[in-house]
Amino acid sequence: MPGGPRYISVALVLALAGCGSGALTAPTDAVVTTTTGTAAHDTTTAHEKTTTTTKRQYGWFLPEGPTSPTTNEDALYRRLLAKACGEAQQELDRTWSGLLTPRNAPLYQAAVDLCRGDVSGARVMLAKATALGLQMRQGAGGSAAVDCAVLKAVRSVVDQVAQESVRCTPGTPPKWPTDDPFAKDDPRTDVVEGTTTTTTTTRTTTRTTTTTVPST
């Protein structure tokens, strides 16, 4: 009809992104791209200059470890690998005095912290582990393989570097000052947990005095 209203049909399309039956899992590392633009105008043309900055972010990731744990460190590693952060914390709290080196107490605590997303806590624990010494005994046996993997994973997140760029230092790891589990102090804390029993032995000396009486 001339002069009558005109009707325009608009199609609205809804795109639904499904994530399946499971929860989304964040990648172990992500690329963050920042784009900034500045526009310069003149009387005839408009120009836009775009600068793109790409920065990689390294997330928490552990490679496959031992399938048959033989040390307390191996058992901790399996729980961390399964992302059972709470179980790993309980295991560490229960077995810290049985770790092969005191350095591993704060090192694995840093791993537990990162498992839970606590980067600041992990940074503090890594500093404690570094102060004790990061040397790791090479060769078969011991816990050097998992210790090195944990150190690389922790350093990767705390320092934001690639795991393959982290080197493990060969050498003799720091030793516990005593084998007595009740006398050990937890390197993760500043509290003295160890108890030392001092035994004092008193020696009694018996002196025998002989008196000679002259005969009459």
Side-chain angles (χ1 to χ4, degrees), residues 71-91:
T71 66
N72 289 324
E73 283 86 348
D74 292 338
L76 282 167
Y77 194 92
R78 296 305 301 175
R79 285 166 172 75
L80 289 167
L81 189 61
K83 296 183 179 179
C85 312
E87 293 180 14
Q89 183 67 73
Q90 292 175 2
E91 182 77 10

Side-chain angles (χ1 to χ4, degrees), residues 150-213:
V150 168
L151 176 63
K152 288 184 175 184
V154 170
R155 285 278 308 276
S156 177
V157 180
V158 172
D159 297 338
Q160 282 299 289
V161 296
Q163 287 195 23
E164 54 268 25
S165 69
V166 180
R167 296 291 179 265
C168 296
T169 305
T172 302
K175 297 180 179 179
W176 291 101
T178 177
D179 292 331
D180 182 359
F182 298 103
K184 292 180 179 179
D185 289 330
D186 190 342
R188 299 174 297 171
T189 72
D190 297 324
V191 179
V192 178
E193 295 90 358
T195 57
T196 303
T197 302
T198 303
T199 302
T200 304
T201 302
T202 304
R203 177 175 297 176
T204 302
T205 303
T206 303
R207 178 178 297 176
T208 302
T209 303
T210 303
T211 305
T212 303
V213 179

Side-chain angles (χ1 to χ4, degrees), residues 18-27 83:
C19 61
S21 59
L24 293 178
T25 301
K83 296 183 179 179

Side-chain angles (χ1 to χ4, degrees), residues 7 13 17 38 47 52 80 88 90 98 103 105 108 115 123 125-126 135-136 146-147 165 172 177 184 210 213 215-216:
Y7 298 95
V13 179
T38 56
H47 304 281
T52 300
L80 289 167
Q90 292 175 2
R103 182 270 323 286
Y108 281 78
C115 180
R123 183 174 288 107
M125 287 297 119
L126 177 59
Q135 298 83 357
M136 298 180 183
V146 289
D147 295 348
S165 69
T172 302
K184 292 180 179 179
T210 303
V213 179
S215 60
T216 55

Side-chain angles (χ1 to χ4, degrees), residues 3-104:
R6 296 181 180 180
Y7 298 95
I8 301 175
S9 178
V10 180
L12 177 63
V13 179
L14 298 178
L16 299 178
C19 61
S21 59
L24 293 178
T25 301
T28 56
D29 57 78
V31 176
V32 178
T33 302
T34 303
T35 303
T36 58
T38 56
H41 299 275
D42 56 30
T43 58
T44 57
T45 60
H47 304 281
E48 181 175 337
K49 181 181 179 182
T50 301
T51 302
T52 300
T53 303
T54 301
K55 182 180 180 181
R56 181 173 294 276
Q57 290 185 332
Y58 295 94
W60 174 247
F61 167 75
L62 278 177
E64 285 295 328
T67 56
S68 300
T70 58
T71 66
N72 289 324
E73 283 86 348
D74 292 338
L76 282 167
Y77 194 92
R78 296 305 301 175
R79 285 166 172 75
L80 289 167
L81 189 61
K83 296 183 179 179
C85 312
E87 293 180 14
Q89 183 67 73
Q90 292 175 2
E91 182 77 10
L92 180 57
D93 291 341
R94 183 176 65 86
T95 64
W96 65 265
S97 62
L99 299 176
L100 297 181
T101 166
R103 182 270 323 286
N104 284 350

